[in-house]
Amino acid sequence: MAHTEDGAEGGRVGDPVLIAAGAADLVIEGIGTALRRTGALLGRSDLAELARDGREELRQRGILALRRYSPAAESHMELLARRAASREPGRGDA
């Protein structure tokens, strides 16, 4: 077998390939951990309640996200005050 640049077996490969292989190994390990957790989750007796709680939490997070990224709506009272001020004759004329 050929050696890597640092002397390990596995062929002459550069840093990008080694980094990609390390990232792939990390992803595979994460998938294995997720599958083990899913197996443990499916064995729970309160799965329906847990799913409802998760759905509600996601819904609340969605509401917060929309509030954070959408433009703030003008207050109803401010809107009415602006309309009333625009209807008054002579107001703002100087």
Side-chain angles (χ1 to χ4, degrees):
M1 272 191 180
H3 297 282
T4 58
E5 292 174 355
D6 63 354
E9 291 186 7
R12 268 191 98 65
V13 293
D15 278 347
V17 175
L18 293 175
I19 292 171
D25 184 54
L26 184 63
V27 168
I28 290 170
E29 183 179 332
I31 290 172
T33 301
L35 289 175
R36 283 190 296 279
R37 287 183 181 172
T38 301
L41 181 67
L42 291 175
R44 293 180 61 133
S45 61
D46 61 344
L47 189 58
E49 183 180 337
L50 189 63
R52 278 191 303 274
D53 290 347
R55 181 179 182 273
E56 181 59 25
E57 183 177 342
L58 287 175
R59 190 171 113 27
Q60 292 298 324
R61 289 180 69 91
I63 290 169
L64 291 173
L66 288 177
R67 284 183 186 163
R68 186 179 320 130
Y69 296 114
S70 65
E74 188 174 25
S75 166
H76 178 70
M77 293 303 290
E78 285 184 35
L79 181 64
L80 291 176
R82 288 182 199 273
R83 284 185 187 168
S86 68
R87 290 182 186 161
E88 289 181 23
R91 181 148 175 140
D93 295 336

